[in-house]
Each structure stands twice: as C-alpha cells, then as structure tokens.
Amino acid sequence: MYTRILKPFEDKNAISEAAEILKNGGLAAIPTETVYGLAANALDAQAVSRIFEAKGRPSDNPLIVHISDFNDIYEIAETGGDKRVKMLAEAFWPGALTMVLPKKDIIPGIVSGNLPTVGVRMPSHNIAREIIRACALPLAAPSANISGFPSPVAFEHVFDDMNGRVEAIVDGGDCEIGLESTVLSLCSETAVILRPGGVTLDMISRIIGKTEVHASALQPIETHTEAASPGMKYKHYSPKAKITVVKATLPQFIEYVKANMCDSAAVLCFEGEQEKMPCAAISFGSEKDYSEQARRLFSALRELDLLEARRVYARCPSSEGIGLAVCNRLFRAAGFDVINS
Ligand code: TXA
Ligand code: MG
C-alpha cells in the first residue's frame, strides 16, 4: 500500500486530507501529545479491524476512543451521572487521561475487545483535535507502533513501523509527553489506574479523592488472574535486546555491568553517566528529571536496537510522579527482569 505523508505545518490541506481518509474507512497515523496514534473511525468495525491487522495486535486488547469535545463522551459512554467524569475532564482534558466507563452500543465490540467498557480520551494536541473535528467522528487509536515494539514518539518511528501499512501518516514532529495516557477505570466506586501515564496518581486523587493503582503497574500480572486491562498481559515496549533493570547506586551498577559484560552489551543510563560505562551507553534523561525520562525512554529503546545491542543493563528510575509510568514501561520492556545488585 502507498502511504501518503501529510505535513500540516507546511500544507494547509493536510488536516482535511487526513479527515477524508478516515471518513472513507482508511487508517491514518496521527500525532498526539503522548505518543502517535493509529486512527480509524471508531464507529466502523471494518475500519477498526484494519488497525489490528496493521499493528499485528491481539484482538482482545481494546482501543482508546478519541474525541474533540467533552460532550462527545455522552455519545459513546454511559456516565450514569458520575460526577467524577466532569471533574476529571475539567482538570485534565484535553490531555493525557483516558477514562474507562461502560460503553454505549454505538461502539462496536471490536473496539473494546468485546469488553462492556470503553476508554475515552480527549487529546490536547492541536493537530489531533483538528483532525477529529474535521471528520466529526470519534477515532479509535492505539499507539502507532507494531504490536510489542516501543510506542512511536517521533514521525520517523511511525514511518519505520507503519509505512506501507496505512493510508497516511501525519507528521506532527516529536510528542511532548513521550509516553501514553493514564488509563483510569471509573467502573467502580474507587477509581483504579490500570496503566500509569502522563497524569499522575497524585494529580488524580487531588481531584476525586481515593484512587488506587492496579498491582500490574510494577509487577507482572499472574497468568491465572483476568487482566483488568487486557493490554497489561502482553509483553510491551521491547527493543530486540534482553533488558535487565538493575536497582543500585551508580558505582554498584558499573560493577554489575563489568561483572556481567558480554558481546553486544549496552547500557541504558541517566544523562552524564555515559562516559563512565564500560560499554556503549544510551541516556534517557537526567536522574531527577522524570518528565525528561518519560519523553526520552521510547526513543532510547529504539536507539538500542539501532546499536544492535542484544543484552541491555538499565539504571532503575524513581517511581515518583510520572516516574511510575516510566518504571512501568521500562519494567515491561524488561519482561519484569528487575534485580537488586
Ligand atoms: O496516550 C495514549 O493512550 C495513546 C494515544 C494514541 O492516545 N494510545 C494508546 O493506546 O496508548 P494503546 O492501545 O496502545 O493502549 C491502550 C491501553 C491498553 O493497555 C488497553 O488494554 C487499555 O488501554 N484499554 C483500552 N480500553 C480499555 C478498556 N475498555 N478497559 C480496560 N483497558 C482498556
Ligand atoms: Mg500501545
């Protein structure tokens, strides 16, 4: 398939061209403030089925539906007068929060992996919102990577994964946050963070009170327990290398790497530490700047692939604030191989 590259910063027709493709049942990768999304008309089961094909995504992993105006939520989800919905939207929409609510029948089962719920998000990225508005449709969009690969946070990442598989890729430059939205279930009295992301636990509990983080955020889910969020049971965000996250001070970490050195080993470390490492090293930001780590982690994982690293030792980030999301993505990229040195 020929993939058109649309450039809204240079071409004023790019938005309407992307909207036209989506209205006609096509797929367009679009920029958002979190990561690039692979969008299709959420009301068209056939179009949505092509997302699963293009990504190689398991069909039981539900998609997030993107809207451009708050009131659109009432078309697709059953809010049942839940006051938290409006409070959260006022605080964090448009932005990196996905709310999971009972779904309305207008959303085909394929979108929600046949769950009775739907995840809804209003992105803050202007291009994303303009495209949604121009096609006047809710858009189902998972991250625009091949399933299991790190989410794309730059146009080049999307191009590498999706060129030839989709009708269009919209170039919006780099994503500001760099990791995905927080997925928050409002299906019970106590809200549960199913996937930590751009909006932190603290930020949410300040608005709606007691909120829990699902145990799967920092540990593998037991295979016999049913996943609250099906995405949590799949290995994710992996570069080709096997990663081990090493909890240690910097000197202990360097000792550990030296003792476990092998061919094509590399290190994922904090900014300024590269020169101290006994092998190739990629930084994902300074040790104390959790937002920078969020922004750089997925690019760093892709860079490790370009280095052809096969064995990676990673410094362990803090799990404070957005750091929880950084840890979640890195631990999962490592298949939860996290050790104390
Ligand atoms: O920031 C984001 O959320 C990006 C951009 C494109 O919006 N999207 C994204 O989608 O990360 P995806 O499909 O890669 O991840 C969605 C996650 C999956 O783990 C999925 O299982 C979970 O959200 N999810 C979606 N709908 C759900 C539902 N109804 N119930 C529970 N989990 C749900
Ligand atoms: Mg994804």
Side-chain angles (χ1 to χ4, degrees), residues 55 57 142-143 145 151 180 195 236-237:
K55 280 185 58 102
R57 178 173 174 114
S143 49
N145 51 289
S151 296
E180 305 88 339
R195 177 182 71 181
H236 251 99
Y237 317 115

Side-chain angles (χ1 to χ4, degrees), residues 97-329:
L97 177 71
T98 296
M99 295 192 235
V100 174
L101 290 159
K103 83 171 185 70
K104 286 200 167 155
D105 290 343
I106 191 172
I107 298 295
I110 187 169
V111 171
S112 64
N114 283 320
L115 292 173
T117 55
V118 62
V120 187
R121 175 165 107 82
M122 190 203 296
S124 68
H125 199 296
N126 284 338
I127 295 174
R129 287 231 306 292
E130 282 172 31
I131 292 172
I132 302 169
R133 221 164 255 156
C135 54
L137 289 166
L139 297 180
S143 49
N145 51 289
I146 302 276
S147 217
F149 285 20
S151 296
V153 296
F155 167 76
E156 294 72 25
H157 300 162
V158 188
F159 186 82
D160 287 348
D161 282 15
M162 288 299 150
N163 186 36
R165 294 170 182 256
V166 299
E167 275 78 8
I169 301 175
V170 181
D171 182 357
D174 295 348
C175 301
E176 199 184 313
I177 297 178
L179 52 72
E180 305 88 339
S181 65
T182 303
V183 178
L184 180 73
S185 171
L186 295 173
C187 296
S188 53
E189 203 173 309
T190 304
V192 184
I193 294 179
L194 302 177
R195 177 182 71 181
V199 176
T200 65
L201 170 65
D202 261 11
M203 291 159 75
I204 292 171
S205 42
R206 240 178 274 142
I207 305 294
I208 59 167
K210 186 162 180 256
T211 303
E212 284 167 0
V213 179
H214 196 276
S216 64
L218 293 180
Q219 63 195 51
I221 57 164
E222 306 273 335
T223 41
H224 60 267
T225 46
E226 208 180 307
S229 181
M232 295 188 294
K233 71 178 182 234
Y234 297 107
K235 188 168 187 237
H236 251 99
Y237 317 115
S238 311
K240 295 185 183 94
K242 157 127 189 54
I243 303 183
T244 299
V245 179
V246 184
K247 287 186 177 173
T249 62
L250 178 59
Q252 286 169 338
F253 179 85
I254 294 170
E255 279 318 300
Y256 180 89
V257 175
K258 282 183 183 158
N260 290 276
M261 188 47 65
C262 59
D263 279 350
S264 61
V267 154
L268 184 61
C269 64
F270 299 124
E271 193 57 43
E273 296 176 354
Q274 294 96 314
E275 310 70 43
K276 304 188 178 99
M277 297 299 164
C279 58
I282 302 283
S283 147
F284 66 112
S286 13
E287 185 166 7
K288 296 280 178 236
D289 189 340
Y290 313 144
S291 298
E292 184 189 16
Q293 292 168 15
R295 198 163 54 242
R296 290 179 56 181
L297 179 66
F298 286 143
S299 295
L301 293 177
R302 284 181 185 250
E303 278 174 55
L304 289 167
D305 275 349
L306 295 177
L307 279 182
E308 299 191 347
R310 287 293 171 268
R311 191 75 185 87
V312 170
Y313 304 109
R315 293 272 271 141
C316 187
S318 158
S319 59
E320 259 173 70
I322 197 172
L324 182 66
V326 177
C327 280
N328 169 271
R329 305 308 190 271

